[in-house]
Amino acid sequence: MDRGWHHWRHNRLAQLAALVLLLLYATSAGAEFVAPYGSTDLQRNGSLLPPTQMYWRSPAGEWLGPHVYPTMQGPVDLETGDRPLEIDFSRPTPVRLLVKGRPYRWLGLIPGERHLFGTVAAASDEALPAYVNLLGTDDQGRDYFSRLAYGSRVSLFVGIVGIAISFPIGLLIGGISGYFAGAVDVVLMRLAEVVMSIPTLYLLVALAAVLQTNPFTGVPFSNSERFVTIVGITGFASWAGLARVIRGQVLALRDRTFVQAARAAGAGTPHILLRHVLPQTATYVIISATLTAPSFIVAESVLSLIGLGIQQPDASWGNMLSLATNASVMVLQPWLIVPPTLLVMMTVLSFNILGDSLRDALDPRDRVQTP
């Protein structure tokens, strides 16, 4: 283990991946504080604004620090299709850290009104507030950075919740199958093969299209119910691969000396499995978890992209990517497409890099020996 930790400490790429994931999950957990506005807050006359430009000096050249000015879209030119920006340079508004802004309850529990950054006068200016939109606004006039922060909660935690569902099932079935062997092994492994043969993505698409309304209440599914449905289906359909691997490892462990000693001491089968056998598979489980999480994230993104996942006005990276289906948005407002695309790519890549590094560090058989 010490050699594995030494190996991981010198893997700069893996440390960078871990740092990226830490920042993403910290931002997700503190979205109310990090985002300057709510995910559904509308800005008057502020649809499809480009990223806000920061001004550090006055028109006369005087140093001001970071300031923004009230901005809105002008009328569309019917001949060219251009929609110029109208900027009110008469009212500079400073951008500050830890400013008071929109009241919120962190995770619905702890009240607060401080935000990581924002404009000082935005809450009190009744004429046309000066907003700071780091990534511009969408077609409804909602701050895109704020929606990315709030949307990360769905797109990031779908992987964790999915693993929390699928891995206990896979560990339990794989452990029972490998420990008892015989007829139990045959039945459970055939069941796992049936589950593995199901095309998960197509199953999700079919069920999401069919289950548009809650069969128990008769009303359309809420986004929280859609989230539970997506995670539940993907989690249940993902345990089979882990179960097969755990079964093989348990088969190799069931006749080891420490297991026989536990039997001789009178330990029951559940105790032996849970306290002596399954903990020996922890290395593989940790590595597999980091490599499996991206598949849940991608599944949610794809479903929301095609309109079968989380629905507007709630945000997720997938339904924000649905704007990519509009060619005019891709050409005229690329700031609406690039950020969620990069975030999904960064998250999946970081999980894969972290998983590979943990495999090299924790499994000495797979570690590349260097002179």
Side-chain angles (χ1 to χ4, degrees), residues 64-278:
L64 293 176
H67 277 64
V68 295
Y69 295 91
T71 304
M72 62 180 292
Q73 289 277 19
V76 177
D77 189 325
L78 298 179
E79 294 184 359
T80 64
D82 294 334
R83 194 179 183 190
L85 290 178
E86 295 181 355
I87 303 177
D88 184 1
F89 286 100
S90 65
R91 293 185 292 130
T93 303
V95 178
R96 298 289 184 265
L97 297 175
L98 301 178
V99 300
K100 288 186 177 181
R102 174 182 181 271
Y104 59 82
R105 284 187 173 271
W106 181 64
L107 299 179
L109 301 173
I110 304 175
E113 58 181 6
R114 293 283 178 179
H115 296 264
L116 179 62
F117 66 95
T119 54
V120 174
S124 60
D125 194 336
E126 296 294 336
L128 183 62
Y131 296 94
V132 53
N133 306 120
L134 292 184
L135 299 175
T137 62
D138 63 6
D139 55 344
Q140 301 295 319
R142 299 170 295 198
D143 178 58
Y144 214 59
F145 176 83
S146 299
R147 288 183 63 76
L148 282 174
Y150 280 95
S152 65
R153 288 184 168 171
V154 174
S155 298
L156 291 177
F157 284 94
V158 68
I160 293 179
V161 178
I163 288 173
I165 294 174
S166 64
F167 273 51
I169 299 174
L171 278 170
L172 182 62
I173 293 181
I176 293 174
S177 178
Y179 188 82
F180 289 100
V184 174
D185 181 30
V186 172
V187 172
L188 291 180
M189 286 303 98
R190 299 298 82 76
L191 174 63
E193 290 169 0
V194 170
V195 174
M196 291 179 67
S197 67
I198 299 174
T200 306
L201 184 58
Y202 296 111
L203 174 64
L204 281 168
V205 171
L207 289 178
V210 171
L211 300 178
Q212 291 294 324
T213 58
N214 191 319
F216 301 103
T217 62
V219 299
F221 271 115
S222 65
N223 280 327
S224 58
E225 291 172 329
R226 287 177 179 271
F227 178 84
V228 171
T229 301
I230 293 172
V231 176
I233 295 173
T234 53
F236 180 77
S238 302
W239 61 265
L242 176 67
R244 288 177 62 87
V245 177
I246 297 299
R247 174 252 187 189
Q249 294 189 354
V250 172
L251 279 174
L253 293 169
R254 62 193 296 265
D255 294 324
R256 298 282 294 273
T257 303
F258 66 90
V259 177
Q260 294 178 0
R263 289 198 195 104
T269 298
H271 178 84
I272 295 174
L273 264 179
L274 297 177
R275 295 293 300 273
H276 299 286
V277 177
L278 290 181

Side-chain angles (χ1 to χ4, degrees), residues 299-314:
E300 184 280 325
S301 297
V302 170
L303 284 175
S304 298
L305 171 65
I306 62 180
L308 297 176
I310 305 302
Q311 302 294 306
Q312 301 281 357
D314 292 335

Side-chain angles (χ1 to χ4, degrees), residues 1-9 279-280 282-284 286-287 357-364 367:
M1 182 63 71
D2 290 339
R3 291 186 62 188
W5 174 244
H6 177 78
H7 176 86
W8 194 86
R9 282 194 309 164
Q280 300 296 317
T283 296
Y284 175 80
I286 293 172
I287 296 169
S357 68
L358 289 176
R359 179 180 57 198
D360 294 339
L362 299 178
D363 192 345
R367 192 180 306 150

